[in-house]
Amino acid sequence: FPVTIQGTGAAEMNLWPGLMSLDLAAQYCSMKPVEFKKAVAVGDLPQPVLIDGKERWRLVEIDNMAAAPKAEKPWLKTA
């Protein structure tokens, strides 16, 4: 993952699933699974939903947290 769709010229699109396992969600965030779980535990990333007894993370919730204004992301370090 992600699935890459080749377009004409420079057009290219990466498709990630709407619900992701821990490993895939961590990969999406460029993190190791243990780092991802720590970020979830402290509220930096969204909690998973349980589907058929398995934890899954919603792509839209991860994206929404990443898009939050900087003031709402105290975990971000500034140089």
Side-chain angles (χ1 to χ4, degrees), residues 4-13:
T4 300
I5 298 175
Q6 299 284 333
T8 58
E12 188 174 290
M13 183 171 41

Side-chain angles (χ1 to χ4, degrees), residues 1-2 16 21-33 36:
F1 261 92
W16 291 85
S21 66
L22 171 62
D23 289 342
L24 195 55
Q27 181 183 352
Y28 180 73
C29 294
S30 299
M31 301 171 91
K32 294 177 183 174
F36 186 89

Side-chain angles (χ1 to χ4, degrees), residues 5-77:
I5 298 175
Q6 299 284 333
T8 58
E12 188 174 290
M13 183 171 41
N14 290 325
L15 300 177
W16 291 85
L19 291 168
M20 297 184 282
S21 66
L22 171 62
D23 289 342
L24 195 55
Q27 181 183 352
Y28 180 73
C29 294
S30 299
M31 301 171 91
K32 294 177 183 174
V34 68
E35 296 169 329
F36 186 89
K37 286 291 269 189
K38 285 180 185 176
V40 169
V42 298
D44 294 344
L45 288 170
Q47 292 291 318
V49 294
L50 283 179
I51 297 180
D52 201 22
K54 298 175 184 170
E55 290 184 329
R56 295 292 182 253
W57 279 264
R58 291 183 175 113
L59 175 66
V60 67
E61 290 180 0
I62 294 171
D63 285 345
N64 287 343
M65 289 190 89
K70 193 173 185 176
E72 295 177 25
K73 297 188 270 188
W75 63 91
L76 286 180
K77 295 179 180 148

